[in-house]
Amino acid sequence: MQEFLWLIPTLPFAGFLTLALIGARLSRLSVMLIGVGSVALSAFVSVLVGVSFIAAPPHGYAYRETLWTWLQVSNFRPEIAFYLDALSLVMVLVVTFVGFLIHLYSTEFMSGEEGYSRFFAYMNLFMGSMLTLVLADNLLLLYLGWEGVGLCSYLLIGFWYREPANGSAAMKAFIITRIGDTAMAIGLIVLFNNLGTMQIQEVMLRASQQWPVGSSLAMVAAALLLGGAVGKSAQLPLQTWLPDAMAGPTPVSALIHAATMVTAGVYLIARTHVLFTLAPLVQSAVAVIGAVTLLLAAFSALTQRDIKRVLAYSTISQIGYMFLALGVGAWSAAIFHFMVHAFFKALLFLGAGAVILSLHDEHDMFNMGGLRSRLPLTFWTFLIGSASLSALPLVTAGYYSKDLILWQAWASRTGSPLLWAAGLAGALLTSLYTFRMVFLTFFGEAKTMDAQRHGNRMSVPLVILAFLSIAGGFVELPVSPGNQWVFTEFMGTALPAAAIIPTEAATQHALQLIASVTSLAGIFLAYIFFHRNSGSTKLPVRSPVGYAVHCFLSSGWGFDRMYDKLIVQPYVYLARLNKADVTDLIYRGIALLSKIIHQGLSIMQNGRLRWYALTIGIGAVAVLGLVVLL
């Protein structure tokens, strides 16, 4: 079945082309069948390919499929080729399956919207681009998929384009991610110029053979790729686009945050891990960026009123955990958390969408409340997703993935107690802001008169994702309670194991207990502040200092304002000064000179024969004089 690998990205692309060309003339049922069916078939093929890969692993635990040579210029011969190993297989299975559930959910969520076929065309293109990215055998094809998801994010965030704010949010996402994409493009040029190939596995092999650890070229290449990853995955300092991306429809938010786009940076670093091991300083920067980002985003999530913006900052924070894991060499732990995060974050966004839709587009949690009994299915599934995000001990998938990251941040040779402490503090804040969201939305006094329930096309994805948010973690159990490392062993065929310092089992048990207590403490604090004594949360905000801090955190630590003051306003000012375009002065000068010469010569063309004879005589004398003198 592995020879059908090419079908996985091709099917969503086929759906996109069909809807783009004739979607406007199709019925909504036909659009739904094409849009959802193409992704469902892609997921089905992914499962078949995955079963075949696991049951009969190819030589070297990797399969390469070449379709054709893309272009050939001298020794530059990139191909349209796909590469399947344990890493890309996990990514493909998560992207296609979670993407299918989001598409199914969208058929009901978007049923009343105009542009129905346009929406599914964009979603299919998004899926095809992301699958191309994760399956690409060479860096140029990966970059094509990389830019494809960037384009689709612009189209989908600004889907409701009649609202100027939505267009601004889409443009902001596009421009900010272009900064990282530019760095990445330069990094690819550096790699090809020095290693002579774009084929990913060959790049890694030649880099390890030609560049020693700490090589300046390795440092430059890794740093440039990190720039691209930071932009796509919304990490410091390019994180500001993601909260504003909530302007798009909720299924778009789920797809961007759970299965595509923001996880692309995590995949890029994992796929090119050899470069980062050759550049220890850059790899350490990955860990520091992740640790700082997860804390800053968690504090901001704690002050949001919009339920989707809470989840947006939560995504930035959870991607920070993945960067932290990558930075300490816990490659498998990062991908494990990616998989689990895709389950519970898709569930939370889709649950939030169900709440918003049932309350007639209400986003403010302080205008919700009392929905526990009125939307029971949404409540219980949302509660499961929240518990997994909060790493509720033993029973949720999020507990096992986050605990693995915290443990390896402590025990890895490139980890440190400081990084572990940052992750632990982030875990406390995560539980606090997550259950703040739960208590404000589903508990307390009802603030709306009615809440409409949704149909099966929205309910089924919620139930499936709720199940995966619990069961998905049991493929990787720590020393206590199970000591089962199924996921790590499988990923070990594509990624190196973390270099763990030998540590007593008692230490690991103690750290595991501390992490569990921290998670429970955050939930308990949320119960005290936002449910039992909900009025007490307003007291700090009433003071001038408390209000200022609250506004500062709510605005995302003022990064937007800082960038506006330091970059946007000076750029706009210079653009206005240069509105005539200084480079045009050169061409205007040439035109003016030509005009002056023309006017000077035209004086001589007056039609008077005596003037012409005088001019000829003067010219003849000048020529004879030159002949005599020279």
Side-chain angles (χ1 to χ4, degrees), residues 436-503:
R436 167 185 179 264
M437 176 174 58
V438 171
F439 290 127
L440 290 175
T441 304
F442 293 99
F443 289 80
E445 179 183 354
K447 300 179 182 64
T448 52
M449 296 303 295
D450 63 332
Q452 299 176 356
R453 297 192 181 186
H454 42 77
N456 291 333
R457 284 177 290 165
M458 289 175 63
S459 300
V460 170
L462 294 178
V463 173
I464 295 174
L465 289 169
F467 171 76
L468 293 174
S469 296
I470 295 175
F474 292 104
V475 297
E476 188 85 351
L477 301 178
V479 173
S480 173
N483 198 24
Q484 297 292 324
W485 307 96
V486 177
F487 189 87
T488 296
E489 290 173 359
F490 178 64
M491 293 303 299
T493 60
L495 297 171
I500 300 297
I501 299 173
T503 309

Side-chain angles (χ1 to χ4, degrees), residues 33 142 231 332 335 365 400 421 453 554 582 597:
L33 292 175
L142 184 152
S332 296
I335 303 304
M365 296 182 295
Y400 295 105
R453 297 192 181 186
S554 181
V582 67
I597 294 173

Side-chain angles (χ1 to χ4, degrees), residues 20 34 68 129 141 177 205 275 301 312 338 356 520 523 568 590:
I34 294 171
W68 66 83
S129 299
L141 185 59
T177 54
L205 178 62
L275 289 177
F338 149 76
I356 292 168
L520 294 173
I523 297 173
V568 177
I590 294 173

